[in-house]
Amino acid sequence: QVQLVESGGGLVQAGGSLRLSCAASGRTFSSYAMGWFRQAPEKERELVAAIGTSGSTDYPGSVRGRFTISRDNAKNTVYLQMDSLKPEDTGVYYCAARPVYRTKFEYWGQGTQVTVSS
């Protein structure tokens, strides 16, 4: 089992940057694919970045070129660098872990609020 704790959220002006961190417990962090999701008010939760155990990454078109996900297996931490932020990036950002033998993310953090003002 994995426990996840996000940090780094806050208030930023449009065009600014934030870096989110997600610290994971456990000794098998490197065997999990990791993802960042966000949920805006009255909207469904959506995946904004994912990174596999090999370091391969994937982004939806709405954030590609602005967001960068990375992982440091030695620190059991995954990061989300967010640049050129827009007001529509506002939401609660969640870190999630997926065992490589599963098809769904099974472990979730408590979330961190990101607010982008115009």
Side-chain angles (χ1 to χ4, degrees):
Q1 193 158 358
V2 178
Q3 292 184 328
L4 304 171
V5 179
E6 303 98 333
S7 60
L11 174 65
V12 63
Q13 289 188 333
S17 298
L18 279 176
R19 188 174 85 150
L20 306 182
S21 300
C22 173
S25 65
R27 296 177 293 176
T28 58
F29 174 74
S30 60
S31 66
Y32 290 85
M34 301 298 296
W36 285 98
F37 292 74
R38 72 183 175 200
Q39 186 163 21
E42 300 182 358
K43 291 189 176 181
E44 292 190 356
R45 186 171 55 194
E46 61 174 338
L47 178 68
V48 296
I51 187 166
T53 55
S54 64
S56 60
T57 59
D58 191 29
Y59 308 91
S62 59
V63 307
R64 189 174 295 120
R66 300 189 298 121
F67 288 13
T68 303
I69 188 172
S70 61
R71 65 191 300 162
D72 185 336
N73 289 337
K75 295 182 178 180
N76 280 14
T77 302
V78 62
Y79 304 97
L80 184 66
Q81 177 67 41
M82 303 185 293
D83 300 317
S84 302
L85 283 162
K86 304 176 181 180
E88 51 264 42
D89 294 319
T90 294
V92 179
Y93 283 69
Y94 298 91
C95 173
R98 176 178 65 80
V100 292
Y101 52 87
R102 300 289 191 187
T103 59
K104 294 183 179 181
F105 287 88
E106 296 191 346
Y107 304 101
W108 296 85
Q110 82 288 351
T112 185
Q113 177 71 44
V114 171
T115 303
V116 184
S117 62
S118 57

